Amino acid sequence: MRSACLVVALWLGAVLLPGACAYADAFSGLGSARPDEMLGAISTLAVSGDPQAGTVLRALGERHLFAAPDGGLYIRQGETCVDARTGQPVATVPDGLKPVRLNNRIRTALAGAQASMALLAPQAETRLKAADALYARHDPAMVPTLEHALSVEKDAAVRTRLMQARAATILAQPAQQDTQDQRLEAVRSLAAVGGLEARGILAGVAQSDAEAPQVRHAAQAAVSSMDWHLRAWSVAQNAFYGLSYGSVLLLAATGLAITFGVMGVINMAHGEMMMIGAYVTWMVQQAIRVSVPALEPVAILVAIPVAFVVCGGMGVLIERGLIRFLYGRPLETLLATWGLSLILQQAVRSIFGPTNIAVQTPAWLSGSVAVGGMDITLNRLAILVFAALVLGGLMLVLRRTPLGLQMRAVTQNRRMAALMGIRTPRVDALAFGLGAGLAGLAGVAVSQIDNVSPNLGQSYIIDSFMVVVFGGVGNLWGTLAAAMALGMGGKVLEPAIGAVSAKIAILVLVILYIQRHPRGMFPVRGRGVES
Amino acid sequence: MPVNLPPLSRRAFGRLALAASAAAVGGMWRTAPARAAAPTGEPIRVGILHSLSGTMAISETTLKDVMLMLIAEQNRRGGVLGRPLEPVVVDPASNWPLFAEKARQLLSVDRAAAVFGCWTSVSRKSVLPVFEELNGILFYPVQYEGQECSRNIFYTGAAPNQQAIPAVDYLLSEDGGGAKRFALIGTDYVYPRTTNQILVNYLKAKGIADADIMVNYTPFGQSDWQTIVSQIKAFGSAGKKTAVVSTINGDANVPFYKELGNQGISATDIPVMAFSVGEEELAGMDTAPLVGQLAAWNYFESIDTPANTSFIKQWHDYTKNPKRTTNDPMEAHYIGFNMWVQAVTKAGTTDHDKVIDAMIGIRQPNLTGGVAEMLPDHHLTKPVYIGEIQEDGQFSVVWKTPSLVPGQAWSPWVPETRDLIGDWSKPIACGNYNTATKTCLGHRHA
């Protein structure tokens, strides 16, 4: 490239080709449209020791690197624009700047180059991260770099990780006769590390025909012992998935357990209350982003009480304006609330548009933590905890507050409660509001894992009814047990028979169960039930 | 079911749209006096059969809007054959049998000269017998599974060989990561099942072993992807570069990508190539964790050509929303509508048979470069692009086919249809002609 450039420049003279070959250094390939040239430039830069190399590669990864038509490279971030080669700010931004495009191949190479540079960083933490990245990447070309890093590394933890990274990298090289012992040692070292990544590398070795027999056998033994561990962990992992799925079902169903279970109102608009809760979450996020950007990470926490109040308020309005005229007429209630659900859907569609809206997941709810051999995703964990808190809070309200006492009294014997001076219409309105508010809370939670669109509610309403009926109408513990049973059941069946069949199987099982036990798992007993 | 406009108000709506376009023509006179005269005479009715409510409203409402925009624009240019176009909008409400009912109404009551509509394959399958019985014309704008070739339907979206096959070629190539192991993940309905059947045969022909192909289906609207993503993760740990080919239907994609991000799978570990994720779907997602994930389409909003820039501007002006995105099916309607206008002009009539015959061979420039041509099997020639998701919710093109790819109605990768072709030009005039036995399998037009 460089010599070709030089020849052309000499031949045509600098006047005819002003600037086109003004830059012929390690950086110039970065602006190229050809992946091979970019890859070459990245690896050259990584070992060049150029003071600007780190900055330029970081800018490339963050897509702040721009190429000018004359081969100049600039780092542009907001208003500032600096020359990538010198690090000096430029007074006038050149014309025709185009962002340097990445693809996955270049992104992978870039991550490797950055990690290899970070291996010599002063902070042990940075070096550990770099070693992690190289372990995950196990690029055969990195062996010398790792050897060098190991020779100067003092920190024990980083050393261990570097050894593992070297082992992975050695195994990624093609097998040769004289490297047998080294490879055998690497297999042992990786077998001790464990995890899916190591399993992947070892499985590759175990299948390779080029490998010496004893290395291959060692790898096979390691893979089968790892598989046993992974299987054991996958049971625990599945149990967590089941709990987490159950907790979503529980959240969606608790509100319904109040309105349907306790009050006996079939509320088909329950799902739409969830949908409105999710939209409230979005509006709160937008409002906070505009007014107090510092609070953005906790916007979701602010949304919890707001969604409860908004949906609860709507619930009270719906009860006063619609439901109270229909008590004792279940079919009309069903039709009226279904109509209401369509009206709410279309209203939201008209106001916010038919497309999904993007509710942000704050950083502290993204990602996962590794516990032994399983990954616990943080948003699912948060929903699990949230569901437990909501259920606990609801129990407290029903058991320990005057409102809860009155609600239970009205449920058990409406006339007697009225004679004792309880204003039953007010209790009805508040109970319905409570149910709607709980749906709003479920909406906040669901906005973190699902689509937020006008159709959100429809995908939960059937499952919610199923949970409440399966658990036993009027019994919160039954709702909890049913949600967990359905969640666990679904997740146990899913890996074995697939998601579609699992869903069908669960429905069939629930139908069979309900046929034998029409009142669900935990029927409410007593005199008040029959009326 | 929700909101079926009664015929009267629908007509009124049509008149309203006409009045609006007439007003727009008035507006144009002041700025551009050189424009054609306002069309007069009996209006030509154009049916628009897209769901405006229900689950598919999220995707189809946009297509209704783009059709209204194209029709208004055509009226401003003087209509067709000197007559104004009148849009007739119906709402099949994401309800498949209702699609057939509304199609019948458009053809027999409204006498629509052409109908633009449908999104899901099941809705197309439900209207197909109606269009064949009443000899109507349907323009179907969405990428689909192929294996169909009706004389009454023009397939302006991609056939599998114009999307799925090139996408897999890219994943197999060095630039695409050189994948050796494939997880084919889809929603459980006809499009993913047929596409995956084609892909499995294609991958096997490319030397991928059975054990290296995983196929998994989920119900519509799946929101709990934990188990499947962890299965993909385990599948990817067999020492070979793994890629996911996703035929997951629009709505279920958001939780799928969220789960991928949460379980720490990035595009550099296991890239996901999606066939149903476009700009419109990304508008509802937090795209930061998705950067580098792939999609294959015949159009991207980010492709910088003068035609595309002016189309996007027209769309923003029409919707009065500078943030509205454009996408692949919108381009398909743009091409299909302009081809129909050309065909009607060429035939000099809106008579269905004459227009259908005139359609073959019509050429219309794509928005992204190249010229689309209507082939005898009622499919188009199209460029294929692979795009990578960027932080701003747009795609950046990382690869494109060197030349335009002609659409194949019947896949050569399915044993039963290997020898079939569709050819509605004379003398074959058959939708499923067996080139080996030289016979038409009963899909002939008299």
Side-chain angles (χ1 to χ4, degrees):
Chain A
M1 168 82 198
R2 188 185 304 191
S3 56
C5 220
L6 213 62
V7 172
V8 173
L10 284 174
W11 189 59
L12 286 174
V15 190
L16 278 177
L17 261 182
C21 292
Y23 308 99
D25 54 9
F27 291 95
S28 53
L30 287 183
S32 162
R34 295 188 32 216
D36 294 334
E37 278 177 24
M38 280 190 78
L39 290 175
I42 288 170
S43 48
T44 318
L45 269 185
V47 294
S48 67
D50 191 299
Q52 274 297 101
T55 321
V56 172
L57 289 184
R58 196 173 330 112
L60 176 63
E62 290 164 2
R63 299 170 43 80
H64 291 140
L65 192 67
F66 289 76
D70 67 349
L73 286 169
Y74 299 90
I75 299 171
R76 199 167 154 193
Q77 220 168 337
E79 292 299 301
T80 61
C81 182
V82 298
D83 188 316
R85 288 181 172 85
T86 58
Q88 297 302 316
V90 286
T92 51
V93 180
D95 287 334
L97 281 192
K98 284 211 166 141
V100 176
R101 297 273 185 201
L102 296 176
N103 65 21
N104 284 332
R105 198 168 147 219
I106 292 167
R107 224 170 256 129
T108 314
L110 185 63
Q114 284 182 306
S116 69
M117 288 168 76
L119 276 182
L120 303 173
Q123 303 87 3
E125 203 184 325
T126 317
R127 296 200 302 273
L128 192 61
K129 267 203 192 127
D132 275 343
L134 289 176
Y135 172 75
R137 209 183 148 219
H138 48 83
D139 174 358
M142 287 292 169
V143 175
T145 318
L146 284 166
E147 299 276 7
H148 174 67
L150 265 172
S151 67
V152 295
E153 185 59 60
K154 297 282 188 296
D155 188 288
V158 182
R159 267 195 84 82
T160 320
R161 198 63 180 153
L162 280 173
M163 303 273 269
Q164 294 167 353
R166 188 181 58 166
T169 318
I170 285 172
L171 288 181
Q173 288 178 324
Q176 273 157 6
Q177 284 303 315
D178 52 336
T179 56
Q180 229 180 77
D181 294 340
Q182 202 188 9
R183 293 178 78 83
L184 202 56
E185 195 193 331
V187 167
R188 290 203 190 100
S189 154
L190 276 191
V193 182
L196 280 179
E197 196 84 51
R199 191 208 174 271
I201 302 166
L202 289 174
V205 173
Q207 290 159 8
S208 158
D209 294 330
E211 210 68 56
Q214 68 255 48
V215 179
R216 204 163 64 214
H217 289 155
Q220 276 160 359
V223 168
S224 62
S225 115
M226 277 168 138
D227 276 351
W228 193 87
H229 273 276
L230 289 173
R231 255 201 295 281
W233 276 112
S234 84
V235 172
Q237 180 86 70
N238 248 329
F240 173 73
Y241 291 159
L243 277 180
S244 127
Y245 182 41
S247 68
V248 176
L249 288 177
L250 176 65
L251 267 176
T254 33
L256 204 66
I258 299 288
T259 48
F260 181 53
V262 177
M263 298 175 64
V265 173
I266 299 179
N267 179 17
M268 295 299 284
H270 177 75
E272 276 57 47
M273 289 293 136
M274 286 176 68
M275 182 257 291
I276 290 169
Y279 273 86
V280 168
T281 313
W282 180 76
M283 284 191 281
V284 168
Q285 276 188 349
Q286 297 298 315
I288 286 185
R289 176 174 305 160
V290 175
S291 55
V292 220
L295 283 181
E296 214 183 321
V298 293
I300 185 92
L301 298 180
V302 181
I304 292 173
V306 178
F308 183 79
V309 170
V310 170
C311 292
M314 287 191 68
V316 171
L317 283 180
I318 292 169
E319 202 277 343
R320 287 289 82 188
L322 184 71
I323 310 278
R324 71 174 163 137
F325 304 112
L326 300 170
Y327 280 123
R329 289 151 67 190
L331 200 63
E332 282 90 332
T333 318
L334 188 146
L335 286 176
T337 49
W338 188 49
L340 181 70
S341 86
L342 295 180
I343 293 172
L344 289 175
Q345 270 178 47
Q346 205 60 37
V348 169
R349 197 171 282 136
S350 306
I351 299 169
F352 295 95
T355 46
N356 286 345
I357 52 167
V359 176
Q360 304 289 324
T361 304
W364 55 274
L365 276 179
S366 309
S368 58
V369 284
V371 179
M374 63 180 196
D375 283 320
I376 305 286
T377 43
L378 292 175
N379 60 353
R380 297 276 175 179
L381 186 65
I383 288 176
L384 193 62
V385 173
F386 184 60
L389 289 178
V390 168
L391 190 70
L394 183 62
M395 288 288 189
L396 275 183
V397 169
L398 286 183
R399 299 276 159 91
R400 293 273 182 273
T401 64
L403 174 68
L405 185 69
Q406 291 174 358
M407 268 174 64
R408 281 182 296 143
V410 171
T411 318
Q412 280 167 15
N413 195 325
R414 177 174 292 269
R415 287 184 65 191
M416 183 67 89
L419 287 173
M420 300 294 286
I422 296 174
R423 288 154 61 194
T424 56
R426 181 172 163 271
V427 172
D428 285 336
L430 286 179
F432 198 85
L434 179 63
L438 288 169
L441 293 182
V444 177
V446 161
S447 75
Q448 293 302 304
I449 53 171
D450 205 346
N451 285 298
V452 181
S453 75
N455 302 326
L456 180 141
Q458 288 178 322
S459 44
Y460 287 95
I461 185 76
I462 304 290
D463 284 343
S464 306
F465 269 108
M466 197 160 79
V467 167
V468 174
V469 173
F470 184 47
V473 174
N475 188 331
L476 272 182
W477 290 115
T479 306
L480 171 66
M484 289 304 159
L486 292 180
M488 281 291 195
K491 287 294 156 186
V492 166
L493 288 175
E494 197 179 309
I497 60 175
V500 182
S501 320
K503 202 151 188 159
I504 296 170
I506 288 284
L507 272 172
V508 170
L509 289 176
V510 169
I511 291 170
L512 290 179
Y513 188 87
I514 295 284
Q515 282 201 328
R516 290 199 71 90
H517 306 269
R519 295 208 178 157
M521 296 197 324
F522 297 90
V524 178
R525 295 176 206 285
R527 253 180 298 177
V529 176
E530 298 305 326
S531 53
Chain B
M1 283 310 287
V3 231
N4 294 325
L5 300 174
L8 241 177
S9 67
R10 216 185 47 246
R11 294 259 169 68
F13 178 76
R15 280 195 209 110
L16 206 71
L18 201 67
S21 55
V25 172
M28 284 308 293
W29 269 111
R30 253 164 279 136
T31 49
R35 286 284 186 166
T40 51
E42 174 91 355
I44 300 173
R45 293 223 177 93
V46 178
I48 301 174
L49 183 65
H50 284 301
S51 302
L52 311 179
S53 53
T55 48
M56 291 313 295
I58 180 173
S59 309
E60 294 193 57
T61 313
T62 313
L63 292 184
K64 182 260 300 176
D65 291 339
V66 85
M67 280 313 299
L68 291 180
M69 174 182 93
L70 291 169
I71 290 171
E73 169 73 18
Q74 190 61 36
N75 280 334
R76 195 153 48 228
R77 288 198 204 136
V80 178
L81 303 176
R83 291 159 65 187
L85 297 178
E86 176 186 331
V88 184
V89 180
V90 292
D91 177 18
S94 314
N95 174 347
W96 320 136
L98 195 59
F99 264 92
E101 227 171 274
K102 294 283 173 189
R104 185 170 292 279
Q105 180 192 320
L106 281 175
L107 292 177
S108 53
V109 179
D110 295 309
R111 306 264 164 217
V115 176
F116 292 78
C118 297
W119 182 290
T120 58
S121 287
V122 47
S123 65
R124 189 191 67 251
K125 295 269 185 208
S126 105
V127 302
L128 185 138
V130 178
F131 276 90
E132 293 193 341
E133 180 198 327
L134 301 174
N135 199 23
I137 300 178
L138 173 69
F139 284 83
Y140 176 68
V142 183
Q143 94 319 339
Y144 83 121
E145 68 281 359
Q147 311 299 76
E148 186 182 298
C149 184
S150 167
R151 180 169 179 270
N152 300 90
I153 302 183
F154 292 94
Y155 305 85
T156 51
N161 74 313
Q162 292 172 308
Q163 186 187 31
I165 300 276
V168 169
D169 280 338
Y170 175 73
L171 289 174
L172 288 164
S173 75
E174 194 189 0
D175 261 342
K180 299 273 182 291
R181 223 166 137 81
F182 288 84
L184 311 179
I185 310 290
T187 304
D188 200 0
Y189 72 111
V190 55
Y191 166 66
R193 283 204 176 252
T194 318
T195 306
N196 285 346
Q197 185 196 5
I198 293 169
L199 286 183
V200 167
N201 289 335
Y202 182 71
L203 286 171
K204 281 188 196 159
K206 287 274 170 186
I208 305 288
D210 258 339
D212 288 333
I213 302 174
M214 159 183 164
V215 183
N216 188 308
Y217 296 104
T218 47
F220 268 99
Q222 171 87 355
S223 62
D224 193 317
W225 288 95
Q226 301 180 86
T227 313
I228 290 154
V229 168
S230 76
Q231 278 175 338
I232 293 173
K233 215 166 152 180
F235 182 75
S237 69
K240 291 177 181 169
K241 177 75 187 173
T242 305
V244 174
V245 176
S246 151
T247 40
I248 298 167
N249 192 265
D251 243 15
N253 276 299
V254 177
F256 173 65
Y257 283 112
K258 269 192 181 165
E259 191 64 36
L260 279 178
N262 279 334
Q263 293 205 20
I265 300 180
S266 70
T268 45
D269 305 327
I270 301 180
V272 178
M273 172 74 76
F275 297 157
S276 305
V277 177
E279 289 85 352
E280 190 87 10
E281 281 74 21
L282 289 185
M285 283 194 225
D286 179 8
T287 44
L290 306 185
V291 172
Q293 300 293 19
L294 305 160
W297 289 105
N298 310 102
Y299 168 90
F300 284 115
E301 185 179 356
S302 64
I303 295 175
D304 193 11
T305 61
N308 194 22
T309 312
S310 81
F311 179 73
I312 295 168
K313 183 173 180 312
Q314 192 188 355
W315 175 239
H316 288 171
D317 291 348
Y318 180 79
T319 56
K320 299 189 179 59
N321 180 353
K323 283 188 188 158
R324 281 293 283 273
T325 52
T326 56
N327 61 24
D328 183 276
M330 286 169 69
E331 193 218 18
H333 259 345
Y334 165 85
I335 295 170
F337 177 76
N338 283 304
M339 283 186 159
W340 174 76
V341 169
Q342 282 190 49
V344 170
T345 313
K346 186 172 139 194
T349 166
T350 57
D351 179 78
H352 290 164
D353 279 325
K354 294 202 173 112
V355 173
I356 288 174
D357 290 338
M359 278 295 293
I360 294 171
I362 296 272
R363 294 161 66 82
Q364 167 69 31
N366 291 314
L367 289 175
T368 57
V371 176
E373 185 185 340
M374 182 56 74
L375 301 170
D377 63 358
H378 286 193
H379 288 67
L380 296 176
T381 53
K382 281 177 172 292
V384 186
Y385 299 97
I386 308 289
E388 255 189 16
I389 300 177
Q390 308 291 310
E391 285 95 338
D392 58 0
Q394 287 290 333
F395 291 86
S396 106
V397 173
V398 291
W399 185 82
K400 63 177 243 186
T401 45
S403 58
L404 298 184
V405 182
Q408 287 171 338
W410 304 98
S411 175
W413 300 103
V414 175
E416 298 83 41
T417 62
R418 187 180 297 138
D419 299 322
L420 292 188
I421 57 157
D423 186 346
W424 287 111
S425 62
K426 290 183 175 92
I428 294 179
C430 173
N432 46 7
Y433 181 78
N434 191 319
T435 49
T437 60
K438 308 240 182 270
T439 50
C440 181
L441 303 183
H443 215 113
R444 185 191 285 278
H445 178 63

